[in-house]
Amino acid sequence: MVDVGDKSRTVREATATGTVTMKPSTLRMATEGRAKKGDVLAAARIAGIMAAKNTPHIIPLCHPIEISSVRVELKPVKSKNCIRITSTVKCTGRTGVEMEALTAVSAAALTIYDMLKAADKEMSIGGIQILEKKGGRSGHYRRSGK
């Protein structure tokens, strides 16, 4: 595990994104609340928040941090037959929150897949990436073209 003891406590924030692509009928099922397992978007949002808070239990050697906020947004994009997931995680600490944001997006995507897999076995999860990171020694990063 990397020693972060000499680092300054600063406000840190990371935003990640990803998508779950599916058939148009599956997207309608999810957005209209007709999935047999329940409210897909609500369950995915909660799964993402819970995953961010539990990242050090999932990712080896990831530091436990005191998260101050986690936001998980799920936006159906009908033109691309997908649900776009965006997570923003904030903390004041000695290490960043990129892993927490990425884990939140991943868990939300997996939850969507799990809740809709009976209707659409061809769904795909993709594009999971950091969009922006603020704070810490390396400063501000924003993915180009976003």
Side-chain angles (χ1 to χ4, degrees):
M1 188 176 236
V2 175
D3 184 354
V4 296
D6 292 337
K7 288 184 169 184
S8 300
R9 288 177 55 83
T10 61
V11 175
R12 296 157 186 268
E13 179 179 318
T15 300
T17 191
T19 59
V20 181
T21 304
M22 59 196 70
K23 296 176 185 173
S25 59
T26 309
L27 183 59
R28 281 192 303 277
M29 179 186 297
T31 58
E32 294 171 2
R34 294 185 290 110
K36 289 183 180 183
K37 286 190 169 186
D39 188 333
V40 174
L41 301 181
R45 184 174 293 110
I46 295 298
I49 293 168
M50 290 174 64
K53 294 173 71 170
N54 284 290
T55 299
H57 300 288
I58 300 168
I59 307 297
L61 306 178
C62 192
H63 287 279
I65 59 173
E66 189 176 330
I67 295 173
S68 55
S69 71
V70 179
R71 187 174 70 242
V72 177
E73 298 173 356
L74 298 117
K75 181 182 178 186
V77 182
K78 291 180 184 177
S79 63
K80 295 186 178 183
N81 296 320
C82 71
I83 297 174
R84 180 172 294 125
I85 306 158
T86 306
S87 174
T88 300
V89 181
K90 295 180 185 178
C91 80
T92 300
R94 290 185 168 91
T95 190
V97 288
E98 297 91 18
M99 294 310 301
E100 287 73 11
L102 289 164
T103 301
V105 169
S106 299
L110 290 168
T111 300
I112 291 167
Y113 186 92
D114 179 56
M115 294 187 75
L116 296 171
K117 67 186 178 213
D120 186 352
K121 293 183 181 16
E122 294 184 10
M123 285 182 288
S124 65
I125 295 170
I128 298 175
Q129 60 191 341
I130 291 290
L131 293 178
E132 188 171 19
K133 174 209 129 5
K134 298 176 186 175
R137 235 181 250 168
S138 62
H140 187 221
Y141 164 79
R142 185 178 186 102
R143 182 172 293 279
S144 59
K146 302 293 174 194

